[in-house]
């Protein structure tokens, strides 16, 4: 078995410990915004659309519904606070891809892929237009992205993915000129299909836009049941919370990695924990030592990959690599502190940027990713078309949740649209098995992916078998 660059050029342990010592266990993004509180639901009410979940999925669904029909009464119910979960903790890479990347999209959806690519780019363009039109203060930067090769076998993968136009191959010198890391062997510059946002600001600003459009937002209002047995509105849904009941004509679910309110989706996703570090703001000198004039988002190319980017105040967010599934499919705050993972991330950071050895981390945190076996969202309706859902974004939902929200609204309207006719929308992923098989399968897959990263990318028999049946595990 070979080694990776992160093992061949390991920084001193004392450096890692020193850099992590001042860090607070909290999402930098959530720490960086002031909360705009909303009351809990205390009295029953009736509405046209009840949206469950106050992350991007729910917020986009509520906003788009109200924009399409300003007269409709739209209510959003959030179990805790707006954007506290994945939407306030992510890397902020707002990508055009609706399919978790081109290879996954082409493999699964074949000749539909070009259409999905076009729809994804349009979705990203429309996010940019909405940010400008509504003045959403969310540090939106359409800088593009660079995928980097840190092992020789990855260079050809990047060369093959280039199209010479808005996806350009960068030789070693060119990629290091863009961002100076001794680990880089090549790069792929994507100029069109990626932007960066401040994740928690985006959630907060979408909530502001919702409220200004007339959406009624209730926090601390967990939905416990969707009751269609004798609804107060004929043909509707009684949405019961711990406080009161919303009588809704239609319901959109944006509950992501949390236990689904629909039995049919109980096995469709597993929560996978992803871990993140944030540095202090770099000084001008430190920034000059790495370059990064283009401020692109960066990802490396192994199965276990890192993603990293600059914030508006020139901190570096550094996340990924370990993707941890905990037996039993639970979302629990106890899973969010994992010292070995944070130490590994910090070690890989200093391997990548040895010139930043003076830099410390101010924040470390984690969040649950709603992983499904096809790595991109699935969509559907339940209870005779009264309830729509979109989930399973598998770590790429900052942009795609807006598309998912549109699909939910299309489905609830009963109309056939370009979106509802897509194979991607009409098909569903293979569910994960129940425990203990899920846990055993996922651990075996993770082990195999790690081996492939240490063995020139070669996939073993477990991965080949999973590829053949369209099953997989990713973050
Ligand atoms: C660490 C990390 C890094 C990531 N990085 C990126 C990235 O760089 N780019 C990218 O595209 N994606 C990334 N993702 C994924 C992205 O954050 C998610 O796909 C996206 O935020 C999903 O939005 P959501 O609204 O569906 O889910 P969430 O933000 O999780 O919101 C779901 C909400 O539903 C609420 N809820 C659940 N059940 C109920 C109920 N019964 N009643 C009421 N409310 C309920 C929850 O409280 C929660 O607020 C990352 C995720 C993590 C965790």
């Amino acid at each position: 078995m070979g080694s990776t660059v992160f093992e061949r050029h390991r920084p001193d342990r004392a450096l890692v410990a020193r850099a992590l010592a001042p860090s607070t266990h909290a999402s930098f993004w959530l720490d960086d915004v002031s909360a705009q509180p909303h009351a809990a639901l205390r009295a029953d009410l009736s509405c046209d659309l009840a949206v469950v979940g106050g992350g991007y999925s729910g917020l986009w669904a509520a906003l788009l519904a109200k924009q399409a029909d300003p007269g409709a009464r739209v209510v959003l119910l959030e179990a805790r606070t707006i954007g506290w979960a994945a939407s306030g903790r992510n890397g902020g890479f707002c990508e055009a891809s609706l399919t978790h990347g081109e290879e996954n999209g082409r493999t699964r959806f074949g000749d539909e892929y070009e259409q999905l690519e076009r729809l994804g780019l349009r979705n990203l363009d429309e996010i940019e237009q909405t940010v400008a039109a509504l003045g959403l203060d969310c540090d939106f930067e359409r800088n593009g992205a660079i995928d980097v090769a840190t092992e020789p076998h990855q260079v050809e993968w990047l060369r093959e993915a280039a199209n010479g136009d808005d996806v350009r191959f960068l030789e070693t010198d060119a990629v290091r000129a863009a961002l100076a890391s001794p680990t880089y062997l090549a790069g792929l510059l994507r100029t069109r299909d990626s932007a960066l946002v401040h994740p928690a600001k985006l959630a907060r600003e979408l909530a502001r836009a919702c409220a200004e459009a007339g959406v009624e937002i209730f926090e601390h209002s967990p939905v416990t049941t969707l009751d269609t047995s004798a609804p107060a509105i004929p043909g509707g849904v009684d949405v019961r919370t711990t406080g009161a009941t919303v009588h809704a004509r239609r319901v959109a679910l944006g509950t992501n990695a949390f236990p689904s309110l629909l039995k049919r989706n109980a096995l469709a996703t597993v929560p996978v924990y992803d871990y993140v570090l944030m540095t202090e703001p770099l000084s001008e000198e430190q920034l000059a030592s790495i370059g990064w004039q283009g401020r692109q988002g960066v990802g490396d190319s192994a199965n276990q990959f890192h993603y990293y980017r600059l914030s508006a105040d020139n901190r570096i967010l550094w996340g990924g690599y370990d993707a941890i599934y905990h037996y039993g499919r639970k979302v629990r705050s106890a899973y969010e502190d994992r010292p070995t993972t944070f130490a590994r991330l910090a070690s890989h950071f200093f391997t990548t940027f040895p010139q930043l050895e003076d830099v410390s981390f101010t924040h470390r945190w984690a969040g649950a990713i709603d992983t499904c076996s096809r790595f991109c969202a699935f969509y559907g309706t339940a209870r005779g078309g009264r309830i729509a859902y979109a989930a399973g974004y598998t770590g790429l939902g900052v942009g795609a949740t807006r598309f998912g929200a549109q699909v939910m609204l299309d489905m609830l309207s009963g109309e056939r649209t370009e979106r509802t006719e897509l194979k991607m929308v009409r098909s569903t992923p293979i569910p994960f098995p129940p425990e203990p098989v899920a846990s055993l399968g996922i651990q075996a897959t993770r082990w195999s992916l790690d081996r492939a990263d240490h063995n020139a990318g070669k996939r073993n028999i477990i991965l080949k078998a999973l590829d053949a049946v369209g099953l997989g595990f990713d973050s």
Side-chain angles (χ1 to χ4, degrees), residues 52-58 77-81 83-87 89-95 221-224 254-259 261 274-276 307 365-370 393 395-399 401:
V52 186
Y56 304 139
S57 292
L77 300 164
E78 163 53 45
R80 290 175 64 171
T81 51
W84 75 274
S87 298
R89 300 162 185 237
N90 60 73
F93 286 62
C94 188
E95 300 265 333
S221 302
V223 173
T224 52
T255 54
N256 195 31
F258 297 86
L261 290 158
D274 194 40
Y275 296 80
V276 187
Y307 53 88
W365 71 92
I369 278 172
D370 60 336
Y393 292 94
L396 209 67
V398 174
T401 41

Side-chain angles (χ1 to χ4, degrees), residues 92-344:
F93 286 62
C94 188
E95 300 265 333
S97 179
L98 304 173
T99 57
H100 211 273
E102 178 169 350
E103 194 186 335
N104 191 47
R106 284 198 190 279
T107 310
R108 291 181 192 279
F109 308 116
D111 47 13
E112 189 175 277
Y113 181 74
E114 313 288 324
Q115 190 183 2
L116 293 171
E117 195 174 34
R118 174 176 56 76
L119 290 170
L121 278 168
R122 191 170 83 191
N123 183 53
L124 179 57
D125 290 343
E126 288 174 355
I127 291 175
E128 184 171 13
Q129 286 154 16
T130 306
V131 166
L134 300 183
L136 305 183
D137 169 20
C138 61
D139 301 344
F140 186 95
E141 298 183 63
R142 187 112 181 221
N143 299 335
I146 306 180
D147 304 327
V148 296
T150 57
E151 303 294 338
H153 67 272
Q154 296 164 1
V155 174
E156 275 322 294
W157 296 348
L158 298 187
R159 205 188 297 274
E160 280 166 19
N163 68 13
D165 182 14
D166 51 9
V167 184
R168 273 178 257 146
F169 182 75
L170 303 177
E171 300 285 355
T172 313
D173 289 352
V175 69
R176 292 186 188 187
L179 179 56
S181 170
T183 64
Y184 295 170
L185 304 177
L188 191 71
L189 175 65
R190 296 187 277 118
T191 54
R192 168 107 176 78
D193 64 1
S194 183
L196 294 173
V197 293
H198 183 308
K201 282 190 185 174
L202 178 61
R204 184 197 59 182
E205 288 287 275
L206 283 173
R208 178 179 65 80
C210 279
E212 284 173 10
V215 175
E216 294 157 72
I217 299 177
F218 297 96
E219 294 182 320
H220 309 291
S221 302
V223 173
T224 52
T225 328
L226 301 171
D227 190 350
T228 42
S229 57
I233 299 178
V237 185
D238 286 341
V239 182
R240 303 200 189 286
T241 75
T242 45
T245 297
V246 172
H247 307 296
R249 259 188 359 92
R250 294 288 177 266
V251 176
L253 296 179
T255 54
N256 195 31
F258 297 86
S260 177
L261 290 158
L262 296 171
K263 239 190 220 150
R264 67 170 65 179
N265 287 340
L267 297 177
T269 60
V270 287
V272 172
Y273 277 79
D274 194 40
Y275 296 80
V276 187
L277 297 174
M278 187 66 118
T279 70
E280 60 193 336
L282 301 194
S283 66
E284 277 184 26
E285 243 175 26
Q286 287 164 337
L287 192 55
S289 75
I290 53 170
W292 219 344
Q293 300 284 315
R295 302 179 59 84
Q296 302 91 344
V298 180
D300 48 32
S301 304
N303 290 307
Q304 300 194 91
F305 63 96
H306 308 90
Y307 53 88
Y308 40 109
R309 57 162 291 184
L310 291 168
S311 64
D313 61 351
N314 292 332
R315 297 161 184 271
I316 298 178
L317 173 141
W318 179 267
Y321 200 80
D322 279 355
I324 306 295
Y325 171 72
H326 297 269
Y327 184 95
R329 281 192 157 90
K330 298 271 188 315
V331 180
R332 280 205 182 131
S333 55
Y335 299 150
E336 293 173 15
D337 203 3
R338 202 161 191 273
T340 50
T341 293
F342 291 125
R344 187 164 18 250

